Amino acid sequence: MSGAQLPPDAIEAILKYLDLPLSSDLPLAPFEFLSTHLRILPSSLLTPLSKLVPPRQRSFIPLIKSRRLVYASQQPRPPLLRADRGRLRWPLLWERLGGSSLPVPSSEVEEEENWVESEFNFRSVDGEPRQHVRKLGGFLRELEEEREQEGVREARRAERRLDDVGEEFDSDSDDEDERQRDTTRIQSGLAIGADVDQEKVKESFEKRLLEIFVDGLDIMIR
């Protein structure tokens, strides 16, 4: 039952488009079917089919790997493959290459404060945002920073699992340890990679990001 995970209407639409005999299942295993008909099927029919084939396995299809390379070669570099975004998904890889472990300034955090000022444009006589607006902006900023740090902690746990450490991490204690380490780094100003040329680290890291992306190993690829 190679197509059992596909809804019946999706299977029917795919088979009709390819002018194949109607069936409750695909005539080939998902990977073989995708490889055979990738160039023919429109994206609307490829999307549900692609979900049956893991990203890593899809990287063995030359056309898909080629498309990923074309995407990765765009200038400017796609945000997904920039160091400032990538280090949030691969924090351990970033640090192992010598990258700073201090939290990276986030454009999304800045956007939270800017949104508050633009949406709640209550200003005092001197033109400065009123105190309650500042407090709201600061509160949303803290929430966004914590959300990002939580994402980084989860990414670290995922990387450890990929390393096949063989150790089960208790999520509660691990979260608390990560939070304490993050707080200590920020308060003390100490960071892994503080004495390393960060531009060289960035170059090496972005090269690894590209390789991970093309090989279908990036956790953002679905």
Side-chain angles (χ1 to χ4, degrees):
M1 297 291 291
S2 59
Q5 298 178 52
L6 278 177
D9 57 336
I11 295 176
E12 181 180 355
I14 291 171
L15 296 179
K16 279 185 175 180
Y17 186 89
L18 296 172
D19 198 23
L20 294 174
L22 294 182
S23 171
S24 60
D25 197 6
L26 297 176
L28 298 171
F31 176 79
E32 296 173 329
F33 193 86
L34 181 62
S35 301
T36 302
H37 301 291
L38 177 62
R39 294 180 181 273
I40 304 172
L41 289 171
S43 58
S44 60
L45 297 179
L46 280 173
T47 299
L49 180 59
S50 296
K51 291 179 180 179
L52 300 183
V53 184
R56 173 60 172 160
Q57 194 175 8
R58 294 202 301 270
S59 70
F60 291 101
I61 301 176
L63 181 58
I64 288 181
K65 195 160 191 174
S66 175
R67 287 177 178 176
R68 289 177 182 170
L69 281 169
V70 170
Y71 172 79
S73 301
Q74 293 181 73
Q75 293 297 330
R77 181 183 293 269
L80 181 73
L81 301 177
R82 293 203 313 255
D84 58 340
R85 296 285 187 88
R87 61 176 288 187
L88 298 177
R89 304 193 308 279
W90 299 94
L92 291 183
L93 174 61
W94 167 258
E95 292 173 8
R96 287 166 183 167
L97 291 174
S100 170
S101 59
L102 290 177
V104 61
S106 170
S107 60
E108 293 185 14
V109 170
E110 297 296 333
E111 287 171 2
E112 288 289 351
E113 283 193 313
N114 293 337
W115 177 81
V116 169
E117 289 196 19
S118 63
E119 291 295 318
F120 301 92
N121 192 22
F122 303 117
R123 294 182 177 272
S124 58
V125 177
D126 60 4
E128 291 297 319
R130 292 186 177 178
Q131 187 175 6
H132 66 281
V133 175
R134 285 178 174 172
K135 286 183 177 180
L136 178 58
F139 174 69
L140 291 179
R141 181 188 183 93
E142 289 178 5
L143 286 179
E144 183 63 24
E145 286 176 341
E146 177 56 29
R147 185 192 66 79
E148 284 198 351
Q149 288 308 307
E150 176 58 34
V152 170
R153 287 189 286 270
E154 177 57 36
R156 282 197 178 99
R157 290 193 290 272
E159 282 185 272
R160 291 190 186 107
R161 290 192 290 269
L162 289 175
D163 282 342
D164 292 326
V165 175
E167 180 180 353
E168 291 295 330
F169 292 89
D170 178 80
S171 59
D172 293 334
S173 61
D174 193 49
D175 283 350
E176 185 59 32
D177 290 343
E178 290 286 359
R179 289 191 184 97
Q180 290 178 357
R181 281 194 290 270
D182 290 342
T183 301
T184 301
R185 288 167 183 162
I186 295 170
Q187 291 177 344
S188 66
L190 298 175
I192 298 172
D195 57 347
V196 178
D197 186 336
Q198 293 300 296
E199 282 303 313
K200 290 184 178 179
V201 172
K202 177 182 175 182
E203 183 179 341
S204 298
F205 180 68
E206 289 185 341
K207 181 179 179 181
R208 287 289 293 122
L209 276 183
L210 187 149
E211 294 170 351
I212 290 169
F213 171 75
V214 171
D215 288 340
L217 297 174
D218 199 301
I219 58 177
M220 290 297 290
I221 302 177
R222 294 292 180 263

